Amino acid sequence: MADIALFTPLTIRGVTFRNRVMLAPMCQYRAVAGHAQRWHRSHHGRMALGGLGGALLEATAVAPEGRITPGCLGIWDDAQLPGLSELVAIYHDEGVPVGIQLAHAGRKAAAATPFAGAQPLAPDDPDWWQGLAPSAIAFGPGWQTPRALDRDGIMAVIGQFAAAARRAMAAGFDFVEIHGAHGYLINSFTSPISNARSDAWGGGNRFRLAVEITRAVRAAVGEDMPLFFRTSCVDGVDGGITMADTVALASALKEAGADVIDCSTGGVLGPSGVAHVAPAPGYLAPFAQQVRREAGIASMAVGLIMDGALANRIIADGQADLVAVGRQLLADPAFVHRAAHELGHPNPHRLLPQGLGFWLERRRV
Ligand SMILES: Cc1cc2nc3c(=O)[nH]c(=O)nc-3n(C[C@H](O)[C@H](O)[C@H](O)COP(=O)(O)O)c2cc1C
């Protein structure tokens, strides 16, 4: 029978993904001082057993002030690496390549966790800290006015991403993703909504921070490691990023050493900033397709990919090279197994944990 597109392997540099389904990066808000906890091991254990092609850890801060909430994971300190290495081992035991999303929250930093209400922390809260941005423009009403970075501050951030990438390698990750989406620090530079600078980091130079971070991370991880970059393809508000901007950015990122553009959207203006992109199954896949076609770089589609048939169609139709699945995997960690059965995979039990299904087939039980 013809190969099922979703179950064809994909090799990027030194890493082979056995199928095209990736766990989307999802904050768990359960870290303590940036350190992984038992919850992370439970959650990722649940995901590692599901037959995924690859997995991405949540937005992980490259500096303490780069956390979104006090519960976010961090990778600014070597002491955080043993906890992260355990998560890597959980995936490697099941043959799943695992990456980490390197992030800086920028002006959207210092929010309460969803468990504590998700609102911006008050400046007199003992957990509050100062957010950073291209310009001193608050994310929205009730949010702090961030400190505009000067040149030294920008260079420090680039250095923090490079150091975090080196730590990711030391922890054993197979690939890294730079979080350039959702209105966080990098996206706040790329978007004209939040970047009002007229110097070498604003105006026509809005992409410069994204490109320089990508270049620095590529230099840090060497030539074998795949490098993903998540971007918000459109801001979804008047005067914001358009697809023409995104194609230009993707081309520049490719030149700087990125391998895959992870095509998300919105987040630069509160509450979600995705107003004119109506959520529907696979609604962001056309963005991934345009980036792939016009910038000539691999892309990953995300957004309400809820079943195997849709996931397979996105790959088979050449809309994207990978699909990232978020909430549906939280609800159903067996998403890939179910997709294999639904799509008529000739040997779905091969995907079972530890290849146990394969062992049974050989014994013809
Ligand atoms: C609980 C939760 C946490 C998330 N955290 C992150 C994150 O850390 N980094 C990121 O880029 N996107 C994050 N997202 C967005 C997801 O990666 C994904 O793009 C989004 O949920 C749409 O995919 P889905 O419809 O399959 O869930 C998060 C989404 C959820 C539901």
Side-chain angles (χ1 to χ4, degrees), residues 24-27 58-59 101 179 182 230 264 302-304 325-327:
M26 280 183 287
C27 295
E58 67 195 78
Q101 191 186 47
H179 196 346
H182 303 166
R230 175 167 269 203
S264 190
V302 67
L304 290 177
V325 180
R327 289 162 291 182

Side-chain angles (χ1 to χ4, degrees), residues 1-130:
M1 69 182 284
D3 283 346
I4 302 165
L6 194 64
F7 287 97
T8 52
L10 175 69
T11 299
I12 303 173
R13 296 188 188 251
V15 175
T16 297
F17 301 93
R18 62 183 162 182
N19 62 57
R20 307 303 182 96
V21 185
M22 177 78 75
L23 172 68
M26 280 183 287
C27 295
Q28 299 299 304
Y29 309 106
R30 304 274 190 114
V32 176
H35 290 254
Q37 303 295 308
R38 187 164 65 228
W39 166 260
H40 297 93
R41 297 189 285 279
S42 305
H43 164 65
H44 288 292
R46 196 169 167 250
M47 295 299 144
L49 299 175
L52 287 166
L56 263 165
L57 255 60
E58 67 195 78
T60 303
V62 301
E65 65 276 13
R67 290 171 299 163
I68 306 165
T69 75
C72 289
L73 276 182
I75 188 163
W76 65 80
D77 185 343
D78 288 349
Q80 289 157 337
L81 299 189
L84 294 172
S85 295
E86 274 189 83
L87 305 180
V88 169
I90 284 170
Y91 281 105
H92 284 180
D93 282 350
E94 307 307 325
V96 183
V98 56
I100 184 166
Q101 191 186 47
L102 305 178
H104 194 302
R107 66 180 188 160
K108 292 172 77 174
T113 67
F115 316 120
Q119 75 286 358
L121 295 172
D124 60 355
D125 189 303
D127 279 339
W128 183 89
W129 65 91
Q130 175 73 70

